[in-house]
């Protein structure tokens, strides 16, 4: 009788331990599922935020970006060197004389979806751009003065540019050294801020 009771207690003990182990496994599995669902929801929110932001600014940089040139995207700018360069048709230019400013991607795949381009003397935005109003990629932006900046238009991907050339003219009261500075977006989530040209000297 005692032996039977001992065996019965031992069997109940094993059953309880087994049930406890199964319960822990179920709880752990449920927790893992909850974590995966939470991460999935976070990823969905981030993607939707980027898409919404890109759609919101697909028609050009907002005036709030004029000074710091930082797009209002929910992602930070790239920290790597930009695969784009800014060159000019001349290193010295007289006031009132237009020059060409070209932004180029390093390879055919380095295209531009978005753009904000300015000429800067120190931190001042200077000079004036001129642009064909029928340009399908770019438009003028008023950052304190009409035409002192260029940004992108809302456009189809087929109008993304590897190379874009614009005309800029220094004002009559300008002199000294200036640089062209740009924010260039490959897409809404990949962009570079503070891409600069070599110095240009403005003379009278």
């Amino acid at each position: 009788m005692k032996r039977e009771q001992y065996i019965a207690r031992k069997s109940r003990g094993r059953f309880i331990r087994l049930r406890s182990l199964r319960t822990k496994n179920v709880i752990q599995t449920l927790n893992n599922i909850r974590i995966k669902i939470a991460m999935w929801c976070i990823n969905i929110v981030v993607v939707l935020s980027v898409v919404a932001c890109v759609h919101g600014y697909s028609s050009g940089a907002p005036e709030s970006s004029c000074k710091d040139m930082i797009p209002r995207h929910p992602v930070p700018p790239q920290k790597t060197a930009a695969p784009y360069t800014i060159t000019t048709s001349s290193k010295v230019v007289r006031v009132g004389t237009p020059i060409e400013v070209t932004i180029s991607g390093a390879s055919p795949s380095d295209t531009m979806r978005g753009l904000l381009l300015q000429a800067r003397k120190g931190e001042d935005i200077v000079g004036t751009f001129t642009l064909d109003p029928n340009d399908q990629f770019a438009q003028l932006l008023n950052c304190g003065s009409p035409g002192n900046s260029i940004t992108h238009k809302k456009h189809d991907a087929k109008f993304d540019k590897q190379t874009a050339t614009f005309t800029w003219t220094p004002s009559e009261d300008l002199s000294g050294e200036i640089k062209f500075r740009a924010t260039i977006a490959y897409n809404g989530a990949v962009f570079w801020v503070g891409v600069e040209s070599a110095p240009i000297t403005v003379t009278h």
Side-chain angles (χ1 to χ4, degrees):
M1 186 66 179
K2 290 182 179 180
R3 180 177 176 81
E4 292 175 353
Q5 290 176 346
Y6 170 77
I7 293 174
R9 286 198 300 270
K10 194 171 182 179
S11 296
R12 283 198 300 271
R14 288 178 179 174
F15 174 74
I16 292 170
R17 287 195 298 271
L18 182 60
R19 186 170 62 181
S20 176
L21 181 60
R22 288 177 177 173
T23 301
K24 288 180 181 178
N25 289 339
V26 169
I27 292 173
Q28 185 175 3
T29 300
L30 289 174
N31 286 336
N32 290 338
I33 291 173
R34 290 192 189 101
I35 291 171
K36 289 180 180 179
I37 291 174
M39 293 301 296
W40 182 78
C41 290
I42 290 171
N43 289 335
I44 290 295
V45 169
V46 170
V47 170
L48 291 176
S49 297
V50 171
V51 170
C53 186
V54 171
H55 177 75
Y57 296 133
S58 62
S59 59
E63 291 184 6
S64 59
S65 295
C66 283
K67 276 296 182 183
D68 60 19
M69 303 188 77
I70 298 175
R72 302 306 185 244
H73 297 181
V75 290
Q78 298 296 301
K79 294 182 179 179
T80 57
Y84 305 94
T85 56
I86 304 175
T87 57
T88 56
S89 57
S90 177
K91 300 298 182 185
V92 179
V93 59
R94 293 177 62 87
V95 295
T97 303
I99 63 170
E100 290 188 341
V101 184
T102 300
I103 302 177
S104 302
S107 72
S109 62
D110 295 314
T111 54
M112 294 175 278
R113 172 62 54 87
L115 173 69
L116 177 58
L117 174 65
Q118 300 172 344
R120 294 277 186 122
K121 183 175 182 180
E123 291 303 312
D124 294 331
I125 306 169
V126 295
T128 305
F129 290 95
T130 52
L131 194 64
D132 183 346
N134 296 320
D135 190 300
Q136 293 178 305
F137 175 75
Q139 61 187 332
L140 298 176
L141 177 66
N142 186 332
C143 282
S145 179
N148 67 352
S149 302
I150 281 182
T151 188
H152 57 282
K153 283 181 176 178
K154 186 173 183 178
H155 62 275
D156 293 333
K158 66 182 179 180
F159 292 119
D160 286 358
K161 298 281 190 178
Q162 181 200 354
T163 299
T165 299
F166 307 104
T167 302
W168 176 83
T169 304
S171 57
E172 294 293 336
D173 59 348
L174 185 61
S175 64
E177 187 177 280
I178 65 102
K179 289 182 179 181
F180 291 94
R181 187 182 301 172
T183 291
I184 303 170
Y186 174 74
N187 58 37
V190 180
F191 59 91
W192 290 263
V193 175
V195 181
E196 287 191 335
S197 71
I200 309 299
T201 301
V202 179
T203 64
H204 284 264

